[in-house]
Amino acid sequence: MIKVAIIGAGITGASIARVLSRYENLEVHLIDKNPDVGWGVSKANTALIHGGYDDDPDKYPMRAKLCVRGNRLWHRWVKELEIPHIWNGALVVALEEEDFDELEKLLERGIRNGVPEMRIVDREELFHLEPGLNPEAKGALWIPTVGQIGPIPAVIAIVENAVANGVKIHLNTKVKGIKVQNGEVKGVETNNGFIEADVIINAAGLYADEISRMVGLDYFTIHPRKGEYWIFDDTVPGPRRVLFPTPTPISKGIVVTTEISGHLMIGPNAQDLPPEEKENLATTREGLEEVWEGAKKLWPNLPPRSKVIRTFAGLRPEPTGGDFIIKAEEEVFGFINVAGIRSPGLTSAPAIAYEVAEIIQRDLGIKLIEKEKWNPYRKDITRFSMLSPEEANRLIRENPAYGKIVCRCNLVTEGEILEAIERMKFIGVKIPSIDSIKFRTKATSGTCQGSFCRVRIIQLLSKAYNVPPWEITLKGEGSEIGIGDVKALLRGENSA
Amino acid sequence: MLESYDVVVIGGGPAGMGAAIKAKELGLKVLLLDDNDFLGGILPQCIHPGFGLHYFKEELTGPEFAYRLINKLDGVEVKTSARVIEIQNYSDLEKFVTYVSPEGVKKVATKTIIYAAGARERHAFEIGIVGDRVAGIYTAGEAQALMDLYGILPGRDIVIVGSGDVGLIMARRFALEGCNVKAVIELMPYPGGLARNLMILKDFNIPLYLSHKVVEVRGRKRVEKVKVVKVDENLREIPGSEFWIEADTLIISAGLIPNVKLLQEIGVRIDPATGGPVVNDRLETSVPGIFVAGNSLLINDLVDYVVEQGETAAEGAKEFIENGGIKSTRWIKLVKGENVRLVAPHYLSGERDVWIYARVQRPIEDVTLEFPEIGKKLRLPVVKPSEMLRIKLRGEEIRKAKEKITMQVVKNE
Ligand SMILES: Cc1cc2nc3c(=O)[nH]c(=O)nc-3n(C[C@H](O)[C@H](O)[C@H](O)COP(=O)(O)OP(=O)(O)OC[C@H]3O[C@@H](n4cnc5c(N)ncnc54)[C@H](O)[C@@H]3O)c2cc1C
């Protein structure tokens, strides 16, 4: 058995784990420092399955190749794994005549990268595709292959499937060092002990440079590039397509879209942060204003600010050089960097995973033997709001918990929360958090942002994990929802 | 065959229970639905006194008030853990209500609906707070539920946004449990709560910052500090006035918004000023046979008024059923004049006396409340946005108007 340790359970690490779970001579360990999967870069992004036309193949050959391939692979993965998705296409909008030059360039590049079905559309067709657009728009590049997915639901689905196929998960496990002997990797040191490994795959997102330095390779650094977003109430009408402005040399620009749960979303801007600010996920007024102004150009009918239900920020892991770094490092046998997976990393993830499998065979000389039985399928969690009344009734008859609405805004039932908890336990989530429930069920993410249902979710988690309710966390250790029972301070406890 | 009712009441808070009790007294067949596991709406978590002075003529706590109403529900069919997911307005005489409960998805037919689904609280994102999205940020009602329904203490160093009654009562609640309430931050230049609740700040030595707002939260996993900035008379931030308060908990008590999504889905017209439906003096919405009461109609400060609205709606339902609709009359429009921020009901028939509920724009002393078209005047020592005005207009007074009645509040010379 060849032991493989994958560091990082984001979309990249999870995809690699799934692809490697197919081989019977591999024992795959997926390691993450967070209490749940998908809580790094993969948590906060635009959630687009990009077309693959904007990555220059001369400057960024990996991105150019893997994005287009990833887009095609997602069509199969979303079905096998029942990942929420929509294929609604994108428009890169020209607001000025000059913008058409840029669109021509994108079209040419797209053709070179192998993106199918793209074309430049005139005003008439543009407004047919997107009636609500800024009436000043002159035309657009139409990329019908663009889609959207739920990024964390995708990571969760992939991991559930990987675990079902034998992958072992280590959560709350932070890699602190890597043991290398005679130029070969031996395993990873963690806060939870040593994990032996013959192959180590560094998919640590923002921290991939630190992990790489652990084996003495410091030829690249990762710096965070912040992007901020607004999300609006689902009663606010949004566009049918993903709308991009004409790009600038540094950014694809501020997108206006209706994300898969039906909420108008605008963002992101791009602000470079110093390398040490990898945890700086704070939204800022300047950033949010910039997004607002940018979005207004494409979508003049932005709702009143009181219709916002959430703002958030994500950090893109920007590598030295700008291209994905995906390779087996010659100096350290068995160490594979999958680093600098910035945008379009979500799109590229399945393609990256197959690339890594190929690297293992080609560069490490490990022959991979397919399992006789490998299960490509995973069932999505029950989504009460999507059921017909007949289906709902059948389900409630079997289990009345599916007849109890917990989250009013998104119609999430107690049955779904309990199912989410079972699935959390299945992949080894040990610290009960409200975010873990949110990412699986959508509870707490609607108009009222959980002010009604959070208390009920706390009760359910407290019971299932057998811990006092105040120890339930919002997002892992240190984010407990309370400091004790209601008399704790009066008794003189907890008074720091 | 679908089961059918005269009235389906949606919401088992004080408005809904008040409506159901009255409808039953009027001899109607009533179904009361609520999505909580218990009746009472928000009342069971309001363990402080101040409820029921008008309705029960004595001062009760929230749970006591709820308990008394529950005891009057005899003869009303009640379903808890029952969430209404759809209202269908098949015709003016026939409606369908679909609800989900542990018994399944069920559809019932009804002649009328009284919608009393309450309100929701505005949250941190809606009031423009930026920064880290960490633990320790709660709406006031959520914190109240954590403490008083589930026995959880949210934190120890507390900052409260909003000096309305809810914010002030939570300030006292935290102080009583030994927390350090560091500040109450109020955007407006005047406090938002009732005078008797403002005493709390004195009693517990809690600083109140008027003309200030919380703009940012910072923390790694949990709130560590909040940024406060002063605003001028136009509510614009004053540069350089920022300061930070260290706290582990931020409580948002920035107002309520009527819960009207189900009504909007069937095209009920909403008044942007109240956030609730536009109604006539029977509290009937723009869809015939659908009535509304309590915080779904407009945000109330007193539970007694909420029950009263429920009763008015029930009387409306009774008339609707008896006459096959509310008799068409010349509806006289009640409109907002000077210094009136909101007023309901919006249309008056003149066929009956009616309670008017209103709020002013800003506090003023020594004023006259006027309805110029009908020559009615009322002198008041003071009006405040925080205190709802409730005035009875008599049928014969209303009938004096031609097409509209203006309500205005003017400073006495
Ligand atoms: C604002 C923004 C917008 C974007 N929009 C898009 C888009 O629309 N489409 C698209 O295709 N891509 C987009 N991207 C890019 C995409 O989100 C990323 O490429 C992708 O999520 C990267 O995934 P990852 O698995 O490599 O990293 P991550 O998701 O960060 O996973 C790495 C994991 O490693 C763990 N880890 C780190 N260090 C250690 C350690 N020492 N021990 C254990 N575990 C460790 C982390 O906790 C983390 O969970 C966007 C990114 C951002 C920020």
Side-chain angles (χ1 to χ4, degrees):
Chain A
M1 268 302 207
I2 292 157
K3 292 192 169 141
V4 182
I6 303 168
I7 306 169
I11 195 70
T12 307
S15 297
I16 295 169
R18 177 179 193 238
V19 166
L20 297 187
S21 75
R22 181 156 207 160
Y23 302 105
E24 90 179 6
N25 54 334
L26 300 184
E27 180 184 300
V28 182
H29 296 260
L30 181 60
I31 303 166
D32 205 293
K33 61 183 179 179
N34 286 317
D36 198 349
V37 299
W39 283 17
V41 179
S42 304
K43 178 164 115 169
N45 52 55
T46 321
L48 300 181
I49 301 304
H50 283 291
Y53 53 85
D54 44 14
D55 295 302
D56 183 337
D58 298 323
K59 282 198 203 135
Y60 314 116
M62 277 298 200
R63 272 158 52 182
K65 170 175 104 175
L66 295 172
C67 184
V68 181
R69 197 182 286 169
N71 175 302
R72 302 289 87 185
L73 283 166
W74 273 114
H75 284 262
R76 196 175 82 223
W77 284 36
V78 293
K79 281 189 209 142
E80 288 174 346
L81 303 171
E82 297 193 352
I83 294 168
H85 66 278
I86 174 181
W87 299 107
N88 56 336
L91 292 161
V92 182
V93 179
L95 292 173
E96 314 287 340
E97 284 302 332
E98 303 89 87
D99 293 344
F100 281 100
D101 296 343
E102 192 59 36
L103 298 191
E104 289 290 351
K105 268 191 224 151
L106 291 179
L107 178 62
E108 244 167 71
R109 197 183 293 159
I111 292 167
R112 231 183 115 191
N113 287 350
V115 182
E117 307 287 350
M118 299 171 74
R119 98 190 127 79
I120 288 176
V121 296
D122 60 13
R123 259 186 72 87
E124 194 190 339
E125 191 170 357
L126 175 58
F127 285 96
H128 169 76
L129 288 165
E130 189 52 68
L133 199 61
N134 180 355
E136 305 285 299
K138 307 259 180 316
L141 179 64
W142 167 230
I143 313 101
T145 57
V146 169
Q148 297 177 260
I149 64 172
I152 310 193
V155 179
I156 292 168
I158 294 168
V159 170
E160 284 180 1
N161 179 244
V163 171
N165 284 306
V167 169
K168 298 189 170 54
I169 307 263
H170 308 260
L171 293 174
N172 306 104
T173 305
K174 182 170 180 174
V175 173
K176 298 184 148 171
I178 293 175
K179 190 170 168 194
V180 180
Q181 240 173 24
N182 306 327
E184 286 179 21
V185 301
K186 291 294 166 193
V188 296
E189 332 252 10
T190 79
N191 57 325
N192 282 328
F194 186 72
I195 300 169
E196 270 182 51
D198 309 300
V199 177
I200 294 176
I201 297 165
N202 171 17
L206 285 162
Y207 295 89
D209 53 351
E210 288 182 18
I211 298 288
S212 188
R213 262 178 253 135
M214 289 176 189
V215 298
L217 296 169
D218 62 355
Y219 64 89
F220 65 90
T221 56
I222 306 278
H223 82 264
R225 181 174 288 168
K226 190 185 277 187
E228 299 181 49
Y229 299 85
W230 301 75
I231 297 188
F232 298 93
D233 190 28
D234 55 7
T235 55
V236 172
R240 282 155 51 182
R241 318 291 174 186
V242 178
L243 305 179
F244 288 95
T246 311
T248 64
I250 36 169
S251 156
K252 290 192 272 273
I254 290 156
V255 171
V256 178
T257 186
T258 304
E259 51 88 90
I260 49 157
S261 300
H263 299 262
L264 170 65
M265 179 170 96
I266 60 176
N269 60 332
Q271 191 208 353
D272 283 310
L273 300 180
E276 60 276 9
E277 291 203 30
K278 287 174 175 170
E279 300 290 317
N280 180 352
L281 282 163
T283 54
T284 65
R285 300 172 92 181
E286 302 71 35
L288 289 170
E289 282 311 316
E290 187 187 345
V291 168
W292 189 275
E293 291 308 314
K296 221 165 62 181
K297 290 186 198 143
L298 292 179
W299 199 252
N301 296 320
L302 286 178
R305 301 263 172 120
S306 60
K307 287 284 179 188
V308 62
I309 60 167
R310 205 161 182 80
T311 53
F312 68 94
L315 296 176
R316 308 169 181 89
E318 289 293 326
T320 312
D323 202 4
F324 297 160
I325 300 164
I326 304 172
K327 60 173 177 179
E329 299 290 358
E330 281 172 22
E331 293 90 330
V332 187
F333 187 82
F335 188 79
I336 301 175
N337 262 321
V338 186
I341 308 301
R342 41 96 78 203
S343 192
L346 182 67
T347 312
S348 309
I352 292 173
Y354 288 110
E355 182 82 16
V356 169
E358 211 181 296
I359 288 173
I360 291 177
Q361 307 214 61
R362 187 187 60 216
D363 299 340
L364 302 185
I366 295 167
K367 189 170 158 30
L368 298 177
I369 304 159
E370 280 196 18
K371 287 177 183 167
E372 250 166 50
K373 279 205 188 103
W374 179 74
N375 175 15
Y377 303 108
R378 169 263 184 189
K379 279 223 107 25
D380 193 15
I381 193 166
T382 306
R383 299 198 185 274
F384 180 85
S385 63
M386 313 282 276
L387 301 179
S388 70
E390 296 74 37
E391 291 169 316
N393 268 326
R394 199 174 326 121
L395 192 64
I396 296 169
R397 230 175 292 125
E398 285 165 22
N399 181 355
Y402 286 101
K404 240 176 148 172
I405 305 285
V406 174
C407 166
R408 301 169 170 188
C409 302
N410 289 339
L411 286 191
V412 179
T413 63
E414 188 174 305
E416 287 155 271
I417 311 270
L418 296 172
E419 202 179 319
I421 292 171
E422 285 311 305
R423 285 166 182 257
M424 282 152 63
K425 290 183 169 173
F426 174 68
I427 67 161
V429 175
K430 289 186 197 71
I431 298 187
S433 77
I434 292 161
D435 272 3
S436 284
I437 298 290
K438 170 168 99 177
F439 296 137
R440 286 171 177 79
T441 65
K442 292 189 197 164
T444 78
S445 69
T447 309
C448 84
Q449 287 292 299
S451 50
F452 286 109
C453 62
R454 209 160 11 227
V455 289
R456 297 170 70 181
I457 294 169
I458 290 165
Q459 305 309 309
L460 295 169
L461 280 170
S462 161
K463 203 163 150 228
Y465 276 86
N466 197 21
V467 295
W470 45 89
E471 286 178 17
I472 300 303
T473 70
L474 181 66
K475 43 176 89 181
E477 233 173 316
S479 68
E480 287 71 20
I481 60 103
I483 58 169
D485 71 87
V486 80
K487 297 294 171 195
L489 286 178
L490 292 182
R491 279 198 313 270
E493 295 163 18
N494 259 317
S495 38
Chain B
M1 262 306 280
L2 299 183
E3 242 167 293
S4 71
Y5 296 87
D6 293 323
V7 193
V8 171
V9 180
I10 301 173
M17 287 198 284
I21 292 163
K22 188 75 184 183
K24 175 208 63 181
E25 279 170 16
L26 295 171
L28 304 179
K29 186 184 177 205
V30 191
L31 173 66
L32 175 65
L33 298 171
D34 194 283
D35 61 357
N36 275 324
D37 296 346
F38 45 80
L39 287 175
I42 214 78
L43 289 175
Q45 69 185 57
C46 299
I47 63 171
H48 53 280
F51 297 87
L53 270 175
H54 296 67
Y55 189 73
F56 288 112
K57 308 278 180 257
E58 60 181 304
E59 183 158 63
L60 305 170
T61 64
E64 285 169 336
F65 190 96
Y67 181 75
R68 295 236 184 144
L69 283 181
I70 290 168
N71 280 339
K72 296 174 81 172
L73 276 173
D74 259 3
V76 173
E77 193 182 334
V78 176
K79 293 236 181 277
T80 50
S81 306
R83 171 96 194 152
V84 174
I85 55 169
E86 194 184 12
I87 295 172
Q88 280 165 281
N89 181 45
Y90 176 74
S91 77
D92 63 330
L93 295 179
E94 209 176 349
K95 288 129 194 23
F96 301 105
V97 172
T98 306
Y99 66 93
V100 184
S101 80
E103 292 165 21
V105 182
K106 196 166 171 191
K107 188 166 161 177
V108 297
T110 186
K111 295 186 181 120
T112 64
I113 291 170
I114 298 177
Y115 186 88
R120 71 171 182 86
E121 297 177 274
R122 294 215 291 157
H123 52 70
F125 296 105
E126 263 169 314
I127 60 172
I129 294 179
V130 301
D132 292 308
R133 305 179 318 144
V134 287
I137 307 173
Y138 301 99
T139 62
E142 186 184 8
Q144 194 180 39
L146 283 172
M147 293 170 84
D148 295 334
L149 293 178
Y150 301 104
I152 300 166
L153 191 60
R156 69 173 67 77
D157 297 313
I158 318 287
V159 170
I160 297 178
V161 175
S163 67
D165 293 315
V166 182
L168 295 171
I169 284 162
M170 284 314 290
R172 174 173 60 197
R173 189 72 197 90
F174 278 112
L176 285 173
E177 295 303 354
C179 301
N180 181 6
V181 184
K182 296 199 131 180
V184 173
I185 312 289
E186 171 59 56
L187 178 65
M188 304 307 281
Y190 46 84
L194 299 171
R196 66 162 197 236
N197 287 330
L198 278 163
M199 291 301 294
I200 292 170
L201 299 177
K202 279 212 179 63
D203 292 348
F204 292 93
N205 239 326
I206 297 167
L208 169 65
Y209 293 84
L210 297 174
S211 295
H212 279 76
K213 70 198 267 203
V214 170
V215 291
E216 188 172 343
V217 174
R218 294 311 296 256
R220 279 177 299 270
K221 300 283 178 114
R222 182 171 181 117
V223 178
E224 288 167 20
K225 53 181 183 174
V226 301
K227 188 181 188 177
V228 181
V229 52
K230 195 169 171 23
V231 299
D232 64 17
E233 35 318 331
N234 300 316
L235 306 183
R236 273 192 310 251
E237 292 169 26
I238 301 172
S241 68
E242 309 81 5
F243 59 98
W244 292 90
I245 303 178
E246 280 177 31
D248 63 5
T249 306
L250 179 68
I251 300 295
I252 311 291
S253 175
L256 300 166
I257 298 174
N259 238 332
V260 289
K261 197 166 171 190
L262 284 174
L263 295 180
Q264 277 173 305
E265 281 168 14
I266 53 164
V268 164
R269 190 172 151 213
I270 302 298
D271 171 3
T274 59
V278 171
V279 292
N280 62 26
D281 58 11
R282 289 300 203 184
L283 303 186
E284 186 187 31
T285 67
S286 56
V287 174
I290 297 186
F291 299 81
V292 61
N295 278 359
S296 292
L297 168 63
L298 83 174
I299 304 306
N300 290 271
D301 343 303
L302 287 180
V303 71
D304 307 84
Y305 299 169
V306 161
V307 177
E308 177 176 278
Q309 289 155 15
E311 293 180 339
T312 305
E315 283 163 0
K318 164 90 172 171
E319 183 193 327
F320 185 96
I321 291 162
E322 275 179 354
N323 297 347
I326 302 288
K327 218 164 51 183
S328 282
T329 63
R330 191 171 57 93
W331 291 105
I332 294 156
K333 202 167 174 181
L334 183 60
V335 296
K336 296 180 286 181
E338 193 184 325
N339 199 17
V340 173
R341 183 155 68 88
L342 57 87
V343 61
H346 307 75
Y347 292 96
L348 312 177
S349 63
E351 307 216 343
R352 58 191 78 89
D353 301 347
V354 51
W355 284 112
I356 306 294
Y357 308 95
R359 280 185 202 277
V360 295
Q361 299 272 16
R362 51 183 188 280
I364 331 182
E365 285 177 12
D366 190 21
V367 292
T368 302
L369 173 61
E370 302 177 342
F371 300 88
E373 289 89 347
I374 57 173
K376 188 176 173 106
K377 279 186 184 182
L378 235 101
R379 226 184 143 116
L380 297 170
V382 65
V383 290
K384 299 177 189 170
S386 57
E387 289 178 34
M388 194 153 89
L389 295 169
R390 170 171 163 276
I391 313 105
K392 186 170 259 178
L393 290 187
R394 308 215 163 274
E396 65 261 27
E397 292 174 326
I398 297 166
R399 285 198 297 276
K400 289 190 211 155
K402 290 220 161 52
E403 50 196 59
K404 67 166 184 161
I405 298 176
T406 311
M407 175 173 180
Q408 60 195 37
V409 175
V410 288
K411 175 106 182 125
N412 293 330
E413 292 306 310

PDB file of all heavy atoms in Angstrom, chain B residues 386-398:
ATOM      1  N   SER B 386     -40.936  56.988  19.467  1.00  0.00           N
ATOM      2  CA  SER B 386     -40.945  55.708  20.163  1.00  0.00           C
ATOM      3  C   SER B 386     -42.313  55.371  20.735  1.00  0.00           C
ATOM      4  O   SER B 386     -42.564  54.228  21.078  1.00  0.00           O
ATOM      5  CB  SER B 386     -39.938  55.757  21.303  1.00  0.00           C
ATOM      6  OG  SER B 386     -40.252  56.841  22.158  1.00  0.00           O
ATOM      7  N   GLU B 387     -43.173  56.349  20.867  1.00  0.00           N
ATOM      8  CA  GLU B 387     -44.469  56.056  21.478  1.00  0.00           C
ATOM      9  C   GLU B 387     -45.571  56.163  20.446  1.00  0.00           C
ATOM     10  O   GLU B 387     -45.843  57.227  19.912  1.00  0.00           O
ATOM     11  CB  GLU B 387     -44.713  56.990  22.670  1.00  0.00           C
ATOM     12  CG  GLU B 387     -43.800  56.610  23.819  1.00  0.00           C
ATOM     13  CD  GLU B 387     -43.931  57.513  25.038  1.00  0.00           C
ATOM     14  OE1 GLU B 387     -45.050  57.993  25.327  1.00  0.00           O
ATOM     15  OE2 GLU B 387     -42.899  57.729  25.706  1.00  0.00           O
ATOM     16  N   MET B 388     -46.191  55.031  20.184  1.00  0.00           N
ATOM     17  CA  MET B 388     -47.219  55.012  19.170  1.00  0.00           C
ATOM     18  C   MET B 388     -48.402  55.856  19.625  1.00  0.00           C
ATOM     19  O   MET B 388     -48.804  55.796  20.779  1.00  0.00           O
ATOM     20  CB  MET B 388     -47.661  53.579  18.915  1.00  0.00           C
ATOM     21  CG  MET B 388     -48.461  53.443  17.662  1.00  0.00           C
ATOM     22  SD  MET B 388     -48.301  51.808  16.979  1.00  0.00           S
ATOM     23  CE  MET B 388     -49.627  51.050  17.850  1.00  0.00           C
ATOM     24  N   LEU B 389     -48.935  56.661  18.710  1.00  0.00           N
ATOM     25  CA  LEU B 389     -50.147  57.412  19.003  1.00  0.00           C
ATOM     26  C   LEU B 389     -51.332  56.529  18.651  1.00  0.00           C
ATOM     27  O   LEU B 389     -51.353  55.891  17.596  1.00  0.00           O
ATOM     28  CB  LEU B 389     -50.193  58.685  18.147  1.00  0.00           C
ATOM     29  CG  LEU B 389     -49.107  59.722  18.433  1.00  0.00           C
ATOM     30  CD1 LEU B 389     -49.122  60.787  17.343  1.00  0.00           C
ATOM     31  CD2 LEU B 389     -49.324  60.348  19.800  1.00  0.00           C
ATOM     32  N   ARG B 390     -52.290  56.511  19.542  1.00  0.00           N
ATOM     33  CA  ARG B 390     -53.495  55.722  19.275  1.00  0.00           C
ATOM     34  C   ARG B 390     -54.682  56.613  19.587  1.00  0.00           C
ATOM     35  O   ARG B 390     -54.835  57.089  20.708  1.00  0.00           O
ATOM     36  CB  ARG B 390     -53.487  54.481  20.156  1.00  0.00           C
ATOM     37  CG  ARG B 390     -54.775  53.683  20.187  1.00  0.00           C
ATOM     38  CD  ARG B 390     -54.505  52.384  20.929  1.00  0.00           C
ATOM     39  NE  ARG B 390     -55.679  51.690  21.384  1.00  0.00           N
ATOM     40  CZ  ARG B 390     -56.329  51.957  22.521  1.00  0.00           C
ATOM     41  NH1 ARG B 390     -55.943  52.941  23.297  1.00  0.00           N
ATOM     42  NH2 ARG B 390     -57.379  51.226  22.869  1.00  0.00           N
ATOM     43  N   ILE B 391     -55.484  56.907  18.563  1.00  0.00           N
ATOM     44  CA  ILE B 391     -56.588  57.863  18.705  1.00  0.00           C
ATOM     45  C   ILE B 391     -57.834  57.234  18.111  1.00  0.00           C
ATOM     46  O   ILE B 391     -57.775  56.613  17.048  1.00  0.00           O
ATOM     47  CB  ILE B 391     -56.339  59.169  17.900  1.00  0.00           C
ATOM     48  CG1 ILE B 391     -54.931  59.673  18.141  1.00  0.00           C
ATOM     49  CG2 ILE B 391     -57.354  60.245  18.228  1.00  0.00           C
ATOM     50  CD1 ILE B 391     -54.035  59.406  16.986  1.00  0.00           C
ATOM     51  N   LYS B 392     -58.924  57.441  18.757  1.00  0.00           N
ATOM     52  CA  LYS B 392     -60.172  56.934  18.170  1.00  0.00           C
ATOM     53  C   LYS B 392     -60.818  58.027  17.317  1.00  0.00           C
ATOM     54  O   LYS B 392     -60.959  59.170  17.754  1.00  0.00           O
ATOM     55  CB  LYS B 392     -61.131  56.501  19.268  1.00  0.00           C
ATOM     56  CG  LYS B 392     -62.384  55.831  18.710  1.00  0.00           C
ATOM     57  CD  LYS B 392     -63.231  55.194  19.789  1.00  0.00           C
ATOM     58  CE  LYS B 392     -63.032  53.694  19.850  1.00  0.00           C
ATOM     59  NZ  LYS B 392     -63.812  53.060  20.910  1.00  0.00           N
ATOM     60  N   LEU B 393     -61.175  57.663  16.084  1.00  0.00           N
ATOM     61  CA  LEU B 393     -61.997  58.571  15.263  1.00  0.00           C
ATOM     62  C   LEU B 393     -63.406  57.984  15.227  1.00  0.00           C
ATOM     63  O   LEU B 393     -63.584  56.784  14.990  1.00  0.00           O
ATOM     64  CB  LEU B 393     -61.451  58.681  13.838  1.00  0.00           C
ATOM     65  CG  LEU B 393     -60.127  59.423  13.640  1.00  0.00           C
ATOM     66  CD1 LEU B 393     -59.847  59.584  12.146  1.00  0.00           C
ATOM     67  CD2 LEU B 393     -60.144  60.790  14.319  1.00  0.00           C
ATOM     68  N   ARG B 394     -64.396  58.835  15.460  1.00  0.00           N
ATOM     69  CA  ARG B 394     -65.785  58.351  15.463  1.00  0.00           C
ATOM     70  C   ARG B 394     -66.337  58.344  14.043  1.00  0.00           C
ATOM     71  O   ARG B 394     -65.940  59.145  13.204  1.00  0.00           O
ATOM     72  CB  ARG B 394     -66.668  59.237  16.343  1.00  0.00           C
ATOM     73  CG  ARG B 394     -66.103  59.414  17.718  1.00  0.00           C
ATOM     74  CD  ARG B 394     -67.170  59.502  18.799  1.00  0.00           C
ATOM     75  NE  ARG B 394     -66.546  59.273  20.099  1.00  0.00           N
ATOM     76  CZ  ARG B 394     -66.347  58.077  20.641  1.00  0.00           C
ATOM     77  NH1 ARG B 394     -66.747  56.982  20.028  1.00  0.00           N
ATOM     78  NH2 ARG B 394     -65.736  57.955  21.805  1.00  0.00           N
ATOM     79  N   GLY B 395     -67.252  57.408  13.831  1.00  0.00           N
ATOM     80  CA  GLY B 395     -67.861  57.270  12.511  1.00  0.00           C
ATOM     81  C   GLY B 395     -68.383  58.589  11.990  1.00  0.00           C
ATOM     82  O   GLY B 395     -68.115  58.981  10.850  1.00  0.00           O
ATOM     83  N   GLU B 396     -69.106  59.282  12.844  1.00  0.00           N
ATOM     84  CA  GLU B 396     -69.708  60.540  12.361  1.00  0.00           C
ATOM     85  C   GLU B 396     -68.650  61.597  12.041  1.00  0.00           C
ATOM     86  O   GLU B 396     -68.843  62.413  11.151  1.00  0.00           O
ATOM     87  CB  GLU B 396     -70.781  61.076  13.326  1.00  0.00           C
ATOM     88  CG  GLU B 396     -70.273  61.505  14.695  1.00  0.00           C
ATOM     89  CD  GLU B 396     -70.489  60.445  15.777  1.00  0.00           C
ATOM     90  OE1 GLU B 396     -70.532  59.249  15.416  1.00  0.00           O
ATOM     91  OE2 GLU B 396     -70.590  60.803  16.963  1.00  0.00           O
ATOM     92  N   GLU B 397     -67.541  61.554  12.760  1.00  0.00           N
ATOM     93  CA  GLU B 397     -66.451  62.484  12.436  1.00  0.00           C
ATOM     94  C   GLU B 397     -65.884  62.164  11.049  1.00  0.00           C
ATOM     95  O   GLU B 397     -65.655  63.053  10.227  1.00  0.00           O
ATOM     96  CB  GLU B 397     -65.309  62.370  13.462  1.00  0.00           C
ATOM     97  CG  GLU B 397     -65.656  62.858  14.857  1.00  0.00           C
ATOM     98  CD  GLU B 397     -64.555  62.589  15.879  1.00  0.00           C
ATOM     99  OE1 GLU B 397     -63.847  61.555  15.772  1.00  0.00           O
ATOM    100  OE2 GLU B 397     -64.401  63.392  16.789  1.00  0.00           O
ATOM    101  N   ILE B 398     -65.639  60.887  10.845  1.00  0.00           N
ATOM    102  CA  ILE B 398     -65.033  60.468   9.579  1.00  0.00           C
ATOM    103  C   ILE B 398     -65.931  60.862   8.405  1.00  0.00           C
ATOM    104  O   ILE B 398     -65.456  61.336   7.372  1.00  0.00           O
ATOM    105  CB  ILE B 398     -64.793  58.937   9.589  1.00  0.00           C
ATOM    106  CG1 ILE B 398     -63.786  58.579  10.693  1.00  0.00           C
ATOM    107  CG2 ILE B 398     -64.324  58.441   8.233  1.00  0.00           C
ATOM    108  CD1 ILE B 398     -63.715  57.110  11.041  1.00  0.00           C
TER     109      ILE B 398
END
